[in-house]
Amino acid sequence: MKILVLNCGSSSIKYQLFEMPENKVLTKGLVQRIGEEQSQALQGNNGSNLEIDEKIPDHAHAMHVIERMLTHPEKGAISSLEEIEACGHRVVHGGETFTGSVVCTQELEKVIEAYCELAPLHNPANLTGIRAAKAMFGDVPQIACFDTAFHQSIPKTAYLYGLPYEMYQKHKIRRYGFHGTSHRYVAREAAERLGKHKYAVNLITCHLGNGCSIAAIREGKSVDTSMGLTPLEGLVMGTRTGDLDPAIIFHLIRLGYQPGELDTLFNKKSGLLGISGLSNDVRDLQEKEEAGDESAKLALDIFAYRIKKYIGSYLAVLNRCDAVVFTGGIGENSISMRERILNELDNLGLQLDNKKNQTVVGEAGEIHTNNSRIKILVIPTNEEGAIARDTYALAREYEMVESTI
Ligand code: AMP
């Protein structure tokens, strides 16, 4: 079965075409700068195979560009769109309604729309993508996979803030958590590597990419995570602050900052970029640090310290932990960042094997010593692959229901 996975942003669509159940990527691509004067679409390995430069005014038009790329006579992967039997969509916010992926009916679209309030930067674009795909694919099932769904198992003690309870009742203010598809994917892969059932493992999963979050997983289910109502809370990230004293906001407002300005400051100008004044990219900062730059070192130290602090607190939450898992661009590739995070954690049962750490880059592997009580794993994430799997499972069920009606 061929499945198209779509990740729609406000001005971009990323896509991957899978052959299922093999989970094989047939091709992938990206349409960017949708709505701008000059848009661009790239498809193929490293985006080098096929390129279209033209004005792409909206997502509906972008879907037709994707069709042209997928069915390109020489460089395409299929001869007709009819070969695609289902589409999977990444949707950022599913609120408290969605605990797993779902087939998108009109009713469910309305629920996703209602959550635009909680994710104004993401859900509207995700929904636009679903609607554009529906318009193009007709009856082909459209499946929504939510970043928040995996974290719906978090108990109230961990998802409520210390605010008056009515803030939750009236305004749905609570921790939702994000990167759920990634945390779930690496948790399942970790269980398999550990030779345990997916609901028999206790893990701490660290998704360290441009956005960063960490999750405590008990018996295969998320019981706490660092991101909150929005992706701003928790770890220090490429450009986001992570945890802050909320009174800093009142203080800055009294100093004359506008709420919108603070939103940009906290989300886009802080984190590694803001602290170093140099870059949001760990690779750049590592290079600068090696050349003796103190601000790069400080930013990397703060980044690692916050992760260490969360690992410690989640060890307390879980009591028993089988493994700490690293994933995301930084978690999978940065030897020195893993070293920074994991040094001096022997007393908590985590002992890094420096030699193994040097060799596991961009691939799955173990990086703990034989004496480490808790295992330390690197597992590359595959959010699109996880969405393809969910889409395949739901599309097959959908097919069975349709054929019995
Ligand atoms: P992601 O959002 O998962 O694609 O991760 C992006 C981040 O991963 C980049 O901003 C880099 O900081 C980091 N990254 C990717 N490759 C490396 C590498 N080889 N060494 C250190 N950091 C890396």
Side-chain angles (χ1 to χ4, degrees):
M1 184 187 282
K2 291 191 175 56
I3 283 176
L4 182 64
V5 172
L6 294 157
N7 182 353
C8 296
S10 55
S11 64
S12 70
I13 302 182
K14 289 188 201 139
Y15 63 95
Q16 287 194 23
L17 182 67
F18 283 87
E19 184 69 59
M20 299 302 287
E22 297 85 348
N23 220 256
K24 183 175 167 217
V25 180
L26 300 176
T27 191
K28 57 182 166 184
L30 162 73
V31 185
Q32 54 193 352
R33 297 199 288 276
I34 298 170
E36 291 180 25
E37 224 19 72
Q38 189 62 57
S39 318
Q40 188 189 41
L42 304 162
Q43 179 179 281
N45 289 334
N46 304 320
S48 61
N49 281 352
L50 193 53
E51 184 171 338
I52 293 178
D53 293 298
E54 65 182 39
K55 188 169 164 53
I56 302 173
D58 53 32
H59 285 68
H61 189 111
M63 287 303 298
H64 287 286
V65 172
I66 292 173
E67 176 183 11
R68 266 161 56 203
M69 313 254 284
L70 288 172
T71 59
H72 190 278
E74 288 108 46
K75 295 175 176 174
I78 48 175
S79 49
S80 149
L81 224 50
E82 281 173 20
E83 290 176 45
I84 295 173
E85 292 185 62
C87 296
H89 297 262
R90 176 181 180 216
V91 181
V92 167
H93 219 304
E96 293 189 316
T97 311
F98 301 106
T99 56
S101 302
V102 292
V103 179
C104 251
T105 59
Q106 258 181 2
E107 253 172 34
L108 290 187
E109 271 178 45
K110 282 188 196 140
V111 182
I112 296 172
E113 195 161 21
Y115 288 125
C116 286
E117 218 172 79
L118 289 173
L121 296 180
H122 297 102
N123 270 35
N126 303 154
L127 200 53
T128 305
I130 291 171
R131 288 177 174 154
K134 271 192 173 175
M136 194 161 86
F137 283 94
D139 286 340
V140 166
Q142 305 295 321
I143 313 295
C145 306
F146 301 92
D147 275 21
T148 49
F150 182 58
H151 298 304
Q152 276 300 300
S153 47
I154 293 177
K156 222 170 200 171
T157 39
Y159 77 63
L160 279 188
Y161 293 109
L163 284 164
Y165 195 75
E166 63 175 27
M167 291 294 126
Y168 168 58
Q169 290 172 308
K170 267 195 197 162
H171 305 299
K172 297 272 174 229
I173 304 289
R174 52 159 286 181
R175 174 182 314 288
Y176 291 97
F178 299 88
H179 290 146
T181 310
S182 176
H183 287 293
R184 177 174 56 125
Y185 176 83
V186 297
R188 301 298 179 250
E189 292 289 310
E192 225 173 286
R193 284 190 79 88
L194 296 170
K196 290 194 161 192
H197 188 271
K198 64 180 179 180
Y199 293 131
V201 283
N202 283 11
L203 302 165
I204 296 173
T205 50
C206 309
H207 178 109
L208 310 178
N210 228 333
C212 301
S213 69
I214 178 163
I217 295 172
R218 182 183 293 129
E219 295 174 352
K221 293 185 182 149
S222 175
V223 290
D224 204 352
T225 191
S226 56
M227 284 179 167
L229 175 79
T230 76
L232 185 58
E233 194 183 347
L235 304 178
V236 173
M237 307 177 212
T239 61
R240 297 189 190 122
T241 58
D243 295 336
L244 277 181
D245 176 351
I248 292 171
I249 299 169
F250 318 139
H251 183 66
L252 290 175
I253 284 177
R254 279 193 296 267
L255 292 178
Y257 286 85
Q258 298 301 312
E261 229 179 312
L262 293 182
D263 198 331
T264 308
L265 183 73
F266 290 2
N267 275 296
K268 305 243 168 82
K269 297 184 179 171
S270 296
L272 291 172
L273 174 68
I275 298 164
S276 68
L278 296 168
S279 171
N280 64 328
D281 195 303
V282 165
R283 282 164 296 197
D284 294 344
L285 294 175
Q286 284 173 176
E287 268 177 32
K288 295 257 166 32
E289 181 189 28
E290 273 165 33
D293 192 299
E294 280 300 315
S295 58
K297 179 182 182 314
L298 179 65
L300 293 168
D301 281 343
I302 293 173
F303 182 88
Y305 177 77
R306 182 76 58 87
I307 298 165
K308 188 186 275 243
K309 211 157 101 165
Y310 264 94
I311 290 176
S313 66
Y314 285 174
L315 285 173
V317 165
L318 291 177
N319 191 21
R320 176 186 70 78
C321 179
D322 297 300
V324 173
V325 183
F326 285 89
T327 194
I330 302 164
E332 291 163 28
N333 296 298
S334 179
I335 296 164
S336 68
M337 182 50 73
R338 293 190 307 235
E339 227 169 62
R340 254 184 162 95
I341 297 165
L342 292 162
N343 74 3
E344 294 176 359
L345 285 180
D346 305 37
N347 283 341
L348 293 180
L350 286 158
Q351 205 170 67
L352 180 71
D353 183 318
N354 285 313
K355 254 197 181 149
K356 287 186 193 162
N357 187 36
Q358 303 280 335
T359 58
V360 182
V361 176
E363 57 172 356
E366 298 180 355
I367 55 170
H368 52 271
T369 64
N370 293 338
N371 293 330
S372 184
R373 189 159 44 79
I374 299 169
K375 295 187 165 55
I376 310 169
L377 306 176
V378 176
I379 299 182
T381 194
N382 182 0
E383 286 166 287
E384 291 79 10
I387 294 174
R389 272 191 209 161
D390 280 11
T391 303
Y392 176 66
L394 283 169
R396 287 188 60 194
E397 267 176 39
Y398 181 83
E399 249 176 25
M400 283 184 331
V401 173
E402 287 285 290
S403 62
T404 52
I405 289 174

